[in-house]
Amino acid sequence: MKSLKTLRRDAEDIFAASLTAVDPVRLIRQALKRKGSALIAGSLRYDLNRFRRILVVGAGKASAAMARGVEQVLGGRINEGMVIVKYGHKVSLDTIQLVEAGHPVPDEAGIRGTRRILDLLAGTGRDDLVLCLLSGGGSALFDAYEGEISLADVQKATHLLLSCGAEISEINTVRKHISRVKGGRLAAQAAPSTLLTLILSDVIGDPLDVIASGPTVPDPTTFTDALAVLKKHHLLETFPRSIREYLSEGCSGRIPETPDRSSPLFRKVKNRIVGNNEMAVRAALLRARKLGYRPMVLTTVLSGEAREAAGFLAAVAVEVSRRDRPVRKPACLIAGGETTVTIRGNGRGGRNQEMALSAALAIAGQKGIVFLCGGTDGTDGPTDAAGAMVDGRTAGRAAMRGLDLDSFLNRNDSYNFFHRLDGHIKTGPTLTNVMDLVLILVV
Amino acid sequence: MKSLKTLRRDAEDIFAASLTAVDPVRLIRQALKRKGSALIAGSLRYDLNRFRRILVVGAGKASAAMARGVEQVLGGRINEGMVIVKYGHKVSLDTIQLVEAGHPVPDEAGIRGTRRILDLLAGTGRDDLVLCLLSGGGSALFDAYEGEISLADVQKATHLLLSCGAEISEINTVRKHISRVKGGRLAAQAAPSTLLTLILSDVIGDPLDVIASGPTVPDPTTFTDALAVLKKHHLLETFPRSIREYLSEGCSGRIPETPDRSSPLFRKVKNRIVGNNEMAVRAALLRARKLGYRPMVLTTVLSGEAREAAGFLAAVAVEVSRRDRPVRKPACLIAGGETTVTIRGNGRGGRNQEMALSAALAIAGQKGIVFLCGGTDGTDGPTDAAGAMVDGRTAGRAAMRGLDLDSFLNRNDSYNFFHRLDGHIKTGPTLTNVMDLVLILVV
């Protein structure tokens, strides 16, 4: 039987294999091939001779790395380009320019970068090809507003919407109608050029209209819907005047509606997912098998409260350990998705570290179980760790050092727990983002 | 592909097969066989000619049905007996007497019944065989106190322990030291007779010392431990005087300690699990296979918050539906265990109905998924339903009838939701109790 030390090394190895599989440069090079004068993206085929210019735009934590992939495929054929990344996510590029901006809280740098991209696209014509690169974080990094609306107005509006109990779909309806980019507006700006959007998905189920708020995807909602959200939640009085007036103008027909499915603007637009959680999960499965484990994917749509999710995954792991069900030992259980943390304390941590901390309690005393929770972006919550790894001895080791696991959990202080117990998984920023992975080895 | 109607019928069929498998009469008849003058219980063999008398005692929701099973095996050979059941759980018996008492809140009827059982055992000798039948609910139904301690004192003490944040193991340490039955005290009373305890487990992992508080199982804790719990939680001032004084006397050695593992009292005592959640799960698996589903047991140690458990199980079901993982369709996912509900509203419901309600949200719009949550005792929470069944249309049907699913969930009002939407599973009290089952059919 493998030792705990081997299990821990294997779990890190499997996690690393997943990260390699979703490296943006690699994903772009898989998705986009050049054959002579043809650019091939899956079933799509573009004759490069037909295009006068090729422009590359984009935003998101992975967009710089994606841009590098595009440069590797298209090289000197790219005429111009610009992508917006989170501060610290720079990558050296040849032709495509790079702007760093604020995330998760948007800042003026992002707005300035977005305006420059819009200016770039304003000059495109029917014989141009635009490649748009989107990934998680695009919603905050890639935005500019219409009319009199300021960043402060949008921040106040977002705060009001979040605290009134509005659903995320309602919030997005409002956001899309004050943005010059979201809800298909970017596609409108790029028309009549040919547009291909390549997407690294950080959302469960890969919904195109949600990832980065769907800049090149039809929007089924209207100005009237947006105003109805404000009415429903009694925000007409308190909402910033500039936004209220803009939405009213939209309702009266004086501003063009976000383009819907029937719009001719989308005739030359294609959206393609080039990477997602499924790819990371599949790589984990293959690597686990290679290391001698029986892999089993439980789900790729994991959500819910992090500490509760840990309990259920641990219940399956214990079942494997005790009864070789639902898969025989040595086994690797795999789950992908993204949980949430309801913050109750003022500690430091992230959803993956909190899940691992809760798992340590749930598997305390169990032999031959290792539980790794990691964010594929390498930064779990506002910390420098990707996640953490625990085993059946973690709770006991903590107790011996006088660390009260329950109390760290109740304070949402998972980072400091693992900092003191040396349980972090640290990868540094990976420049990719396809949500989270849970890997559980049971022998 | 099977219709939703067929799926729902199959789910009920599988649940019924599980209940049949854990019927207490059947379980006792499987566990206890008579061959000539021998009574055989698994690897145990008792020569009935050696015993002058056979006595049957017991307590728990299933104890009357278990007693009937024993009467069917031993018939006229039983000399005397008494079991304590919850009000409404009566079964007609030949020789063994039956007492009905309060559960989950203990009452004087339970204490009187317990005293009569203790009196019965006081007269036993070395040539008697005592069969003890225990099942869920035994902790409340089967208890009598030492010295001056009254039921009101114990109720006050329990309340104080529960509200001070003491762990369940700490609470049990105190309970076992004020009881004339728990923590091995019943075995002491039955000595020097031969004692065989048959147990229907309603606790995850079947821990003998926890089920019905272990009346015939060694107790590793001491009077000193019990007093330490009061000190730790600052209850020495507020705790009922009778209990404080009794525990102090115990510490000073004037009262015999609960018997531990080394005690000779256990030399002729055997404890055997005759039924548990695993048996219900295995029956579900066999029945599902017979109906044409690929069965997969995810866990038999399910716990945690009911609504969160639903989310996790739904995430696996959706994975099966979308990607034929971790098992191919048509599939039957099976989970056993017992969840909890953190009560936030003042509605009516139970953990199984709440789990089903939460599942209805999680699988809303999904085709070909049916989700059944049921308590094997037939009474989920303080309601007349065993649980509930939902599918991908449940949320939509509720909306059409103007029922706000979220609001029912937030009020913990699952019973009324399913009452109005006709989604209950009703079996009536089943007289058994091996926790809960979740059955998810995916086609």
Side-chain angles (χ1 to χ4, degrees), chain A residues 205 278 281 296-302 304-305 308 312-313 315-316 318-319 322-323 325-326, chain B residues 205 278 296-305 308-309 312 315-316 318-319 322-323 325-326:
Chain A
E278 167 69 15
V281 161
M296 174 174 275
V297 178
L298 288 174
T299 183
T300 49
V301 295
L302 184 69
E305 186 70 27
E308 294 280 340
F312 304 122
L313 291 166
V316 180
V318 167
E319 190 75 17
R322 287 199 198 160
R323 301 193 193 259
R325 280 188 314 212
Chain B
E278 168 69 15
M296 173 173 276
V297 178
L298 288 174
T299 184
T300 49
V301 295
L302 184 70
S303 63
E305 185 70 27
E308 294 280 341
F312 174 75
V316 180
V318 167
E319 191 75 17
R322 286 199 199 158
R323 302 194 193 258
R325 279 189 314 215

Side-chain angles (χ1 to χ4, degrees), chain A residues 39-226:
Chain A
L39 182 68
I40 295 163
S43 60
L44 304 172
R45 194 186 177 91
Y46 299 91
D47 179 3
L48 295 181
N49 290 336
R50 270 188 46 218
F51 298 106
R52 190 171 59 94
R53 293 191 307 162
I54 298 182
L55 302 173
V56 181
V57 299
K61 286 190 225 173
S63 64
M66 292 170 86
R68 187 199 266 170
V70 173
E71 287 190 344
Q72 289 182 6
V73 176
L74 288 171
R77 192 64 179 81
I78 301 167
N79 296 81
E80 220 178 323
M82 174 171 292
V83 292
I84 308 170
V85 293
K86 182 175 175 171
Y87 292 112
H89 284 57
K90 241 190 326 206
V91 160
S92 100
L93 295 172
D94 296 330
T95 315
I96 302 165
Q97 288 182 274
L98 192 145
V99 170
E100 289 182 281
H103 178 277
V105 181
D107 65 3
E108 292 291 346
I111 294 178
R112 279 195 303 271
T114 304
R115 287 204 190 116
R116 285 171 64 193
I117 288 178
L118 289 168
D119 289 346
L120 198 63
L121 295 181
T124 53
R126 144 179 342 268
D127 47 1
D128 290 331
L129 172 64
V130 177
L131 296 179
C132 177
L133 311 174
L134 298 177
S135 62
S139 237
L141 295 167
F142 201 16
D143 212 357
Y145 317 113
E146 297 282 4
E148 306 280 294
I149 301 168
S150 70
L151 177 57
D153 291 339
V154 174
Q155 280 166 346
K156 186 182 172 193
T158 306
H159 176 74
L160 287 169
L161 285 166
L162 284 172
S163 47
C164 77
E167 286 177 29
I168 186 70
S169 61
E170 293 178 328
I171 296 175
N172 285 340
T173 297
V174 176
R175 277 178 175 161
K176 285 181 176 178
H177 280 88
I178 57 180
S179 169
R180 293 179 60 193
V181 175
K182 301 181 200 296
R185 283 260 167 80
L186 189 80
Q189 184 79 354
S193 64
T194 297
L195 175 62
L196 170 62
T197 298
L198 301 175
I199 302 167
L200 189 60
S201 169
D202 72 329
V203 182
I204 285 175
D206 306 337
L208 295 177
D209 58 328
V210 176
I211 304 163
S213 304
T216 60
V217 180
D219 177 25
T221 68
T222 63
F223 275 112
T224 312
D225 296 333

Side-chain angles (χ1 to χ4, degrees), chain B residues 306-308 310-311 353-363 405 409:
Chain B
R307 68 178 71 194
E308 294 280 341
Q353 292 164 77
E354 178 140 327
M355 210 193 307
L357 187 54
S358 172
L361 265 184
I363 62 168
L405 206 158
L409 191 55

